[in-house]
Amino acid sequence: MKFVLFNGSPRNQKSNTKILLEHFLRGYNRVNPESVPVSYLANRKLKDDHLTAFRDSNIVIVAFPLYTDSMPGIVKEFFEDIARSGISGSKKMGFIVQSGFPEAIHSIYIERYLEKFTARMKCEYLGTIIKGGVEGIQMMPPFMTRKLFGRFEALGVNFATNFGFSKAIGAKLRRPYKMTAMGRFIFSIVSRTGLTNYYWNSNLKKNNAYDKRFDQPFSRKADS
Amino acid sequence: MKITILNGDMSQGGSELSRFLEKLVAGISPNHQVSQFPLHTMNLHYCTGCWNCWWKTPGRCSINDDGSEIFNSVINSDFVVFASPLLAGFTSSALKKITDRLIVLLHPYIELNQGECHHRKRYAKYPDFGLLLEMEPDTDQDDLKIVGDLYDRFAINFHSKKRNMWLVNHDNTEDIIDEICFV
């Protein structure tokens, strides 16, 4: 069996997707020590190599961040390349979609597309792992990411054993599907303190851009 | 009214979509201001996820290409047409490339909208939009529902509304012009 991973994050080696995949592979390699190649779709000069890696594989996982409610443009281009190549069938395909928004509801719409795309390529669909609230994990202290990384590691262990995603772990990663009434209430209270924007404000201040945060450079007033 | 057409056609020759758009523009332009963007032939790069447009140069994209011309046109339009062939079951990568970069028109702050987290507005008003699609030979109703639903989700994030989804050579250009211009 030839297993390959595709990292579809435009942030390439600096991506949160890479971090999640590293934990997944740590778990995978605990069961199967064979190295798993990872192709970075942001390296568009290697488009032909990506297609070759896909063609030569039996099992594929494509992982990407949610961009405007679906796959980033570079991932869509990869899907178009696959469809155009005529390579299809006798592969198993799974997906990992991570988002900055905390709720899974944002990603369930692209999940339907991914299942349909897999069927269109006449491949077997392994499912889609959805995980929200991933933006900022590179700034978080270890106690805040321990559970998340542990779950991705367990997902990797399970994948190496069964060549499929664990439904139980997948279900846990999807939480919350939507914010609860209590969650919305707490959010509305906390947002009044400005704490919900802490991540954005700290980066705006670091870049000396805080005072410009509400700029509207394309408003008609700005033109005149 | 001002109408922006983002044309995601990626074919080399004249496609059904581009011929259809020509007829559409001919019908609209005598009475309205139309800006057309043939995305595949323009100098446009993919979003790199740097988020400089949110926290370094708020509202401005760091990529120096034709993007700014499109952002300016979109946010100052009354209506936007997202036109694209379906490729591998979704709108083209040429269209997705610029759609990803429309986050420059939003603010990073999160607010609750319909009980969900979404980004707040940067501008006071956002244009409604329509989808104009050219089907693939194997396009079915399920594909159209998936694409339509995904653009409905985009509409929530874009503080906008997907008013219509039209199909090249199935819908009539006169009807589309009415739906765009006389709402």
Side-chain angles (χ1 to χ4, degrees):
Chain A
M1 287 299 234
K2 179 83 176 156
F3 172 37
V4 295
L5 288 171
F6 292 93
N7 180 337
S9 173
R11 289 184 184 165
N12 208 334
Q13 299 277 346
K14 292 180 180 170
S15 58
N16 295 322
T17 302
K18 183 189 178 199
I19 292 170
L20 296 183
L21 289 181
E22 281 171 352
H23 289 280
F24 175 86
L25 285 175
R26 182 178 296 169
Y28 181 91
N29 288 140
R30 272 172 42 201
V31 177
N32 183 346
E34 198 174 319
S35 165
V36 178
V38 182
S39 296
Y40 288 83
L41 298 179
N43 298 332
R44 292 182 54 254
K45 286 180 182 164
L46 302 177
K47 267 164 66 90
D48 291 346
D49 294 348
H50 300 154
L51 212 50
T52 302
F54 180 80
R55 187 194 64 206
D56 295 344
S57 66
N58 307 109
I59 300 171
V60 173
I61 292 177
V62 184
F64 58 84
L66 196 69
Y67 267 40
T68 55
D69 301 278
S70 57
M71 72 299 264
I74 56 168
V75 177
K76 180 65 207 323
E77 186 179 346
F78 179 55
F79 289 165
E80 288 169 9
D81 290 343
I82 292 172
R84 199 181 304 113
S85 73
I87 304 165
S88 68
S90 50
K91 294 184 200 303
K92 295 180 178 183
M93 291 184 75
F95 303 88
I96 297 173
V97 181
Q98 57 95 353
S99 67
F101 291 134
E103 317 102 313
I105 189 173
H106 298 278
S107 301
I108 61 165
Y109 295 86
I110 194 59
E111 181 181 25
R112 283 163 49 203
Y113 169 80
L114 296 170
E115 183 169 7
K116 187 73 194 284
F117 173 73
T118 305
R120 185 172 253 114
M121 295 303 107
K122 299 183 172 55
C123 293
E124 182 185 334
Y125 179 63
L126 295 177
T128 297
I129 294 295
I130 291 175
K131 179 60 198 151
V134 173
E135 184 60 32
I137 59 169
Q138 300 187 42
M139 288 170 67
M140 290 177 191
F143 79 89
M144 286 179 75
T145 53
R146 193 172 297 132
K147 194 191 280 182
L148 169 67
F149 293 163
R151 282 180 176 158
F152 266 86
E153 199 169 322
L155 198 68
V157 169
N158 197 278
F159 198 87
T161 311
N162 305 314
F163 280 113
F165 290 129
S166 158
K167 284 193 173 140
I169 301 168
K172 283 179 184 164
L173 286 167
R174 275 175 193 240
R175 292 179 196 149
Y177 173 71
K178 275 187 90 162
M179 283 172 93
T180 59
M182 179 58 81
R184 293 197 299 274
F185 176 71
I186 292 169
F187 183 94
S188 64
I189 298 292
V190 175
S191 65
R192 286 178 208 165
T193 67
L195 213 61
T196 49
N197 297 320
Y198 174 79
Y199 177 66
W200 305 113
N201 285 339
S202 63
N203 279 287
L204 280 159
K205 286 172 185 170
K206 197 168 69 184
N207 293 317
N208 294 319
Y210 185 74
D211 292 343
K212 297 177 183 168
R213 66 194 184 283
F214 295 117
D215 275 10
Q216 300 178 339
F218 300 114
S219 74
R220 284 187 178 126
K221 279 180 192 165
D223 283 349
S224 59
Chain B
M1 65 193 279
K2 179 168 163 46
I3 296 153
T4 293
I5 299 176
L6 302 177
N7 181 358
D9 186 11
M10 295 169 69
S11 62
Q12 299 300 319
S15 65
E16 290 288 331
L17 173 65
S18 289
R19 279 195 287 276
F20 196 84
L21 273 174
E22 276 176 33
K23 279 197 282 180
L24 194 64
V25 171
I28 298 174
S29 53
N31 301 310
H32 302 278
Q33 185 188 344
V34 181
S35 300
Q36 288 193 77
F37 295 97
L39 303 170
H40 194 49
T41 62
M42 295 175 70
N43 176 28
L44 291 168
H45 296 84
Y46 284 106
C47 177
T48 62
C50 69
W51 284 1
N52 285 350
C53 65
W54 278 351
W55 60 32
K56 204 166 187 177
T57 53
R60 294 173 178 83
C61 180
S62 294
I63 303 172
N64 186 20
D65 62 6
D66 295 339
S68 293
E69 199 186 332
I70 295 174
F71 309 144
N72 195 8
S73 184
V74 166
I75 198 62
N76 290 305
S77 285
D78 301 296
F79 194 83
V80 173
V81 178
F82 289 91
S84 177
L86 290 177
L87 299 171
F90 195 63
T91 50
S92 72
S93 52
L95 183 58
K96 191 62 178 56
K97 182 190 282 185
I98 198 65
T99 308
D100 288 348
R101 290 178 61 192
L102 293 181
I103 65 161
V104 73
L105 300 173
L106 297 173
H107 198 284
Y109 287 178
I110 301 289
E111 63 182 12
L112 290 180
N113 182 356
Q114 302 181 26
E116 302 168 6
C117 290
H118 290 281
H119 292 287
R120 57 166 281 179
K121 289 179 175 183
R122 179 173 293 282
Y123 293 88
K125 188 174 169 291
Y126 290 75
D128 285 352
F129 65 88
L131 269 180
L132 175 62
L133 304 174
E134 181 182 346
M135 293 194 289
E136 298 173 274
D138 62 352
T139 300
D140 59 24
Q141 287 303 313
D142 191 30
D143 291 313
L144 296 175
K145 180 85 172 72
I146 288 170
V147 174
D149 287 351
L150 278 163
Y151 274 86
D152 279 332
R153 292 297 298 179
F154 170 73
I156 299 173
N157 274 312
F158 202 56
H159 302 276
S160 174
K161 189 179 170 197
K162 185 189 101 221
R163 285 221 308 252
N164 316 80
M165 189 165 90
W166 305 291
L167 300 173
V168 167
N169 292 344
H170 283 71
D171 290 288
N172 184 293
T173 48
E174 283 77 25
D175 292 341
I176 296 175
I177 293 165
D178 282 352
E179 287 171 27
I180 292 176
C181 303
F182 300 105
V183 173

